[in-house]
Amino acid sequence: MNDLARDRMPIDLPKPQMVQPFWFGHPEYKATGWYLRGLPKLSATDILPEPERGSGEWKRWNRVHRMPPGPERARLRSRSFPGMMQAAAVQWTGYALRKAAA
């Protein structure tokens, strides 16, 4: 989250859990913050080894941050990664069902 957005958040908002797409099998860097209220932290499911900093592969992993201005930039930068969403669905649904059964 950039400084401007962070400054606009409520003071009492808990610290988010930050996750990366490469923790869930997607070769990209794009930190995503989850504000978890009553949910456990999301666990990585398919961690990819990070490329060497400055390499061509590392630059490809940073494509979200390197996108040029354009009409599709905001949409492409805000997309979610399927592996991350699947992990959230599986882990948090299972947690909710166990909690409801207790």
Side-chain angles (χ1 to χ4, degrees):
M1 179 182 301
N2 67 44
D3 294 340
L4 180 60
R6 189 177 298 117
D7 290 345
R8 293 180 179 195
M9 301 303 278
I11 292 172
D12 63 342
L13 193 65
K15 185 176 178 180
Q17 178 197 11
M18 301 304 289
V19 297
Q20 287 283 353
F22 73 89
W23 297 0
F24 305 93
H26 298 281
E28 297 203 40
Y29 291 117
K30 182 182 179 280
T32 301
W34 297 94
Y35 288 99
L36 306 174
R37 291 189 175 102
L39 292 171
K41 287 189 174 188
L42 193 62
S43 298
T45 57
D46 185 18
I47 299 177
L48 299 176
E50 293 186 65
E52 182 178 334
R53 188 172 184 82
S55 68
E57 185 179 6
W58 181 83
K59 289 177 183 175
R60 283 189 296 279
W61 279 36
N62 278 289
R63 73 175 189 82
V64 169
H65 302 289
R66 302 165 66 86
M67 284 182 185
E72 292 293 302
R73 185 173 196 260
R75 184 184 66 79
L76 293 171
R77 285 180 54 95
S78 67
R79 76 183 183 101
S80 297
F81 296 87
M84 191 183 301
M85 297 301 105
Q86 182 178 8
V90 168
Q91 293 175 37
W92 292 335
T93 299
Y95 173 80
L97 290 173
R98 287 188 302 277
K99 192 102 166 147

